[in-house]
Amino acid sequence: MSATAERGGSRPPDPEGHEGHEGHEGPDGPEGPAPAPAGRGELAVVALLLGLGAFLTHGTVTMTVPSTAGSPGPRFFPVIVIILTFSLAAALAVQILRRPRAAAPPPADAPAAGRPRTYTDWRAVGIVVAAFAAFIVLLTPAGWLLSAALLFWGVSYALDGKRPLFDTGVALAVSAAFQLAFSAGLGLDLPAGVLEGAF
Amino acid sequence: MDTVPLLLDGFGAALTPLNLLLLVTGALLGTAVGVLPGLGSAMAVALLLPVTFGLDPTGAFIMFAGVYYGGLFGDSTTGILLNTPGNSSAIAATIEGHRMARAGRAPQALATAAVGAFTGGLIATTLMVFFAPRLADWASLFGPAEYFALAAFAFAATATVVADSVVKGGIALAIGLALALVGVDPTSGAARFTLDQAPLFDGIAIVVITVGLLALGEVLHVASRIHREPQASRPALAGRPWLSRQDVRLAFPAWLRGTGFGVPFGVIPVGGSEVPTFLAYATEKRLDRRRKRPMFGRGAIQGVAGPEAAGNATAGSAMGALLALGLPTSATAAIMLAAFQQYGMQPGPLLFERNGDLVWALLASLFLGIGVLLLINLPFAPLWAKLLLIPRHYLYAGITVCCGLGVYATSASSFDLVLLLLIGLLGLMMRRYGLPLAPVLIAVILGPLAETELRRALAVGEGDVGVLFDSGIALGLYGLLVAGAVVAVAARLRRRRATAAAG
């Protein structure tokens, strides 16, 4: 019963398909910390922070400060944020590197045969991102109805929608419902695109 | 005391057919997102923010009031029935609640939770109505140094308490502050970190950041783990939620004790109701141990009553802190603050003078909101659990479409949609590595205020850092911060022990 008591521990995949009854871990809500995987993958966060710090430093150095600016000027606060960013990057790096490497290999990273290989399902994420990118590109030329339907279909496909053809119908219905609710109900104009004049 | 007539005026403004419709819609929506695991009222308000642009501010805030409390009413429902709490605030109530459900007392557990949420919300909202104007009077003494102290207090408190480590909270804070820096500096007019892109001169819209982090980030996170985690099982229950006299005798004091824990925590920015709910849980458990026949571990009704009341009491007094001080103490409150700013209002001492009508209508609608929520949750909680029957892929696909729609509806710019996608990926990364989201939101929203007030204070003091500590209020806030940190660390240790013992 104590296996899942520790918040932040990884949940082992359950082939039976039902949520474990003994723990009380919720799915990661917007305000709840996600289970932190052990290992060195977290160095990605350090890299992100270093990149952020470098970007802010570059922007601060090359900033055009108007001659009328008082003191402390527009560079003052960014410098504080830069210092904060670099010191936190260093602190996190130290934390990660001091953690014993073999202490807690997450089950999802060290899978048994037949289980997924990596912790993050990049294929599903990739499909969602691609669908959203396509939505952005197509929104103006193709119109809301088609691009939003494509977005809906893409996300539902990425999340294991099993009936692609049926889902096409659902996607078009959802997208049309949004368009109707918004143009008729709230008076917001969504781009009509190629279907301009069809309604 | 002129509070009562003002409040009655507020009820008058809130009780129009349209506003009631908005309130009920908000309450239904809030309960729905609360019930669904992973979605919270923060996300619901973020997605509604652009959509309500067409409404008048009063109507919009009345709807937000429904969503705000609705999320807290709904979040324990699935936790009790399926052991999948809708939100982190429901984890404490889930422990005993789910045991009650397994013992065949699911309807009683749901009723206890609903009445607990009602009690906590009602008491906290009443206290807030009478104390918020006083708090606002007091806050009108604030100058730049005090405002900076307040912002620093909010930053430090969220960053240290929300995350499992101070470093991670700090990282989230730094990311938020960096996002808030983009745009033209209002004090000097210098363009900062805009990469010469005209759409960035006004900064990154708060709607883009909140929708991206909370909603799109959640969708990406779910996608990233879709093949990694088991699906939740289906709910199965029946029965009527009537509490016996014995149940009420046990639950009633726990509701009050829970409220007692919740109210003070709403005013301190510790990122929401996790800490008070666990404090209430631990207290009920300790009191239960003194009984002849301890019920904890077998489905104790107090274990549901205390945390639920604490959770909603926190939300109630958090609204008071937001209105009177302009201080957001949770992610949802931070987004409500963004909503005020969207309508050109700044919560804080002046709000009661400048937008008094709206504030009192909002306060009145909070009361109406908890009443409506009790009505739609007490008898129908099992029906709400049927929401889990919506296939996951349609649910998240719909949320994604809402994200795109919401952001496009406010700005009609593809540039903002690109930013939304990038921030969504940031949200995925933060979830992936256990970085908390609340500090980012609070930093984005209070960052500009902190910067302006800090620079103003230092300009007045001509560079002397001492001006920041030159007032009793500022020193008091820093003192409170230190004291709060001590209490929070102690509470976290206790909570860890409580959950370890409960598991």
Side-chain angles (χ1 to χ4, degrees), chain B residues 276-295:
Chain B
T277 49
F278 270 96
L279 278 178
Y281 174 82
T283 310
E284 295 307 327
K285 188 169 183 177
R286 207 168 320 128
L287 288 173
D288 184 62
R289 218 174 280 154
R290 293 191 202 146
R291 290 173 192 282
K292 272 189 210 138
R293 191 166 169 273
M295 280 302 291

Side-chain angles (χ1 to χ4, degrees), chain A residues 17 23 34 74 118 120-121 167, chain B residues 83 192 224 227-228 394 431-432:
Chain A
T118 51
T120 302
D121 187 342
D167 289 354
Chain B
N83 208 20
R192 298 192 292 186
S224 78
H227 298 118
R228 306 289 185 265
Y394 291 154
R431 284 175 170 83
R432 167 78 170 76

